[in-house]
Amino acid sequence: MKGFHCCLLLILALVGSLENLNLVCSAADPTDGFTPVPLTGANFELQKPYNIPLNERYSYEDGVRHMWVYATDKPHDPNSRTQPRTEVRMKGLDYTSGVWQFEGYGFVPNGTSGVTVAQIHGAAEDASTLILRIYDGNLRYYSGDLVATGLYDRWFRLNIIHDVDGDWVTVYVDGEQKYSTKGRGPGDFYFKCGVYAAPRNITYYMESRWRDIKIYKK
């Protein structure tokens, strides 16, 4: 009888361990509860130095969008005084309310620093609600708070959730929540990714690659 109880306790312990393991393995994905938005090529608008042909700053091959820019490049518009960029601007998907999410796999080579690789454009007073910049292989909120480390020379999964009505932004890297912050008020918002030089502390050559870009909403 004693042996039977011991076996029963052992079985219950194993079942409990398996349940805990299942909970860990089935941890919520950032996209859970969201609906994917159908995308076409028209949703991917390219912004690049205005005086240079697109193929000299952008390529698209095997599903990978390769974007690069130089510190001495012109802005994307002759009337703009902004820094040089080569970016994908998600077009036709501007939003002013609800909960929206960007997902993409990014790659930043060693040597690219001081560059915005993803952003939420639009805010009540500022130009953007979220700027994510690479400095020395680390991802930062603008040039301040550290979001993630060790991103050089590898593909990383980036998810950005923007709760407009709740005025809150959450950032996930490789499926793990890394950062959250209050938004910057109402506005007309859209997502961007690529390379956009920061105002200072930049490298001469800046590059990032993106694949499997998706947009979700609730």
Side-chain angles (χ1 to χ4, degrees):
M1 193 68 173
K2 184 177 180 180
F4 173 77
H5 286 154
C6 288
C7 288
L8 182 60
L9 289 172
L10 179 60
I11 291 171
L12 290 173
L14 287 171
V15 170
S17 297
L18 288 172
E19 287 179 347
N20 289 334
L21 180 61
N22 185 59
L23 286 173
V24 172
C25 293
S26 61
D29 187 87
T31 62
D32 287 351
F34 283 81
T35 300
V37 177
L39 299 178
T40 69
N43 296 122
F44 297 84
E45 180 183 78
L46 272 299
Q47 297 179 343
K48 49 79 179 179
Y50 70 83
N51 62 331
I52 296 175
L54 180 61
N55 63 4
E56 292 185 17
R57 293 295 182 272
Y58 170 82
S59 69
Y60 182 53
E61 187 175 357
D62 297 328
V64 176
R65 300 176 188 276
H66 182 191
M67 291 165 272
W68 64 97
V69 76
Y70 294 88
T72 52
D73 279 344
K74 300 292 186 182
H76 69 296
D77 186 284
N79 297 315
S80 173
R81 301 182 65 181
T82 58
Q83 297 292 101
R85 73 185 75 191
T86 304
E87 290 183 297
V88 167
R89 184 257 206 247
M90 301 309 299
K91 187 177 181 181
L93 298 170
D94 294 19
Y95 60 95
T96 57
S97 62
V99 184
W100 291 73
Q101 179 173 177
F102 168 92
E103 178 180 78
Y105 288 79
F107 183 99
V108 180
N110 194 335
T112 289
S113 189
V115 62
T116 296
V117 294
Q119 63 173 296
I120 300 172
H121 190 279
E125 296 181 3
D126 298 316
S128 60
T129 287
L130 176 77
I131 288 282
L132 292 176
R133 287 186 184 139
I134 290 286
Y135 287 99
D136 301 320
N138 301 321
L139 191 65
R140 293 188 176 274
Y141 173 70
Y142 292 83
S143 57
D145 294 345
L146 182 66
V147 176
T149 61
L151 298 187
Y152 272 157
D153 295 332
R154 71 175 184 87
W155 287 101
F156 58 90
R157 179 190 179 197
L158 179 67
N159 293 76
I160 302 169
I161 298 176
H162 186 194
D163 181 350
V164 179
D165 303 322
D167 200 23
W168 200 256
V169 178
T170 307
V171 179
Y172 292 79
V173 176
D174 295 328
E176 181 181 348
Q177 182 176 329
K178 291 292 189 179
Y179 190 75
S180 61
T181 185
K182 182 174 171 48
R184 298 191 171 196
D188 183 8
F189 305 102
Y190 53 86
F191 295 107
K192 302 181 78 176
C193 65
V195 281
Y196 176 30
R200 54 187 177 276
N201 300 326
I202 63 175
T203 51
Y204 176 66
Y205 175 78
M206 292 156 277
E207 171 191 347
S208 76
R209 305 164 203 168
W210 290 88
R211 61 177 175 83
D212 300 317
I213 296 171
K214 298 181 178 70
I215 302 295
Y216 300 87
K217 68 177 181 178
K218 282 186 177 179

